[in-house]
Amino acid sequence: MSSDRWLIAGLGNPGSAYAHNRHNVGYWCINRLARLHGIDLKARRVAAVGEGEIDGQPVTLLKPRTFVNNSGHAVGPALRHAHIPVDHLIVLYDELDLPAGRVRIKPKGGHGGHNGLRSIVGAVGGNEFPRIRIGIG
């Protein structure tokens, strides 16, 4: 397993109709990370993907091109293809119950009713991965 590489997945809904929707904050974070660290995102069939480094750490950035509720269809195969262990997955997603801009980090846990996380947990076979909830108020 490639235990030094991390997969960072930002959840959102694809298409221009959703581009400016606050629920796409996970996509926005991936776009920002890509810009800040010179990582090119390339559109593939089920996700936009880019590989590079953040502070010397090898990363794969991923924006699923599925709707949020089906995020596991992109995240699961990406982990397996890159031989990245589940505990080296970080998921960025929106949280209505947090004030806008507030961030909460959990090292692991359940899906908390979030359908995108539920899909990912099912696709990767566990919930032993960190997640970053970003408040959208």
Side-chain angles (χ1 to χ4, degrees):
M1 292 245 185
S2 175
S3 62
D4 60 336
R5 178 167 293 278
W6 286 80
L7 176 67
I8 305 172
L11 306 190
N13 287 313
S16 59
Y18 299 100
H20 299 290
N21 186 303
R22 63 188 177 156
H23 291 287
N24 274 17
V25 71
Y27 274 13
W28 301 346
C29 289
I30 294 297
N31 290 341
R32 180 74 184 246
L33 285 170
R35 253 191 331 275
L36 286 173
H37 299 283
I39 299 171
D40 290 326
L41 295 172
K42 294 180 178 59
R44 302 252 162 71
R45 195 170 66 83
V46 295
V49 180
E51 292 190 349
E53 288 188 358
I54 296 177
D55 292 332
Q57 183 68 49
V59 298
T60 298
L61 302 179
L62 182 101
K63 291 180 3 183
R65 295 180 74 194
T66 61
F67 284 90
V68 169
N69 292 354
N70 295 317
S71 297
H73 294 295
V75 174
L79 272 181
R80 288 186 290 279
H81 175 75
H83 304 289
I84 298 172
V86 172
D87 64 345
H88 276 203
L89 165 65
I90 299 172
V91 179
L92 308 166
Y93 63 99
D94 66 285
E95 176 60 64
L96 273 170
D97 293 333
L98 286 176
R102 171 92 29 102
V103 174
R104 290 249 170 93
I105 301 170
K106 284 182 70 176
K108 59 184 174 182
H111 56 71
H114 190 282
N115 289 328
L117 275 184
R118 183 187 323 260
S119 174
I120 292 169
V121 167
V124 304
N127 59 6
E128 301 290 316
F129 56 88
R131 65 277 321 265
I132 300 174
R133 297 181 298 163
I134 302 158
I136 60 171

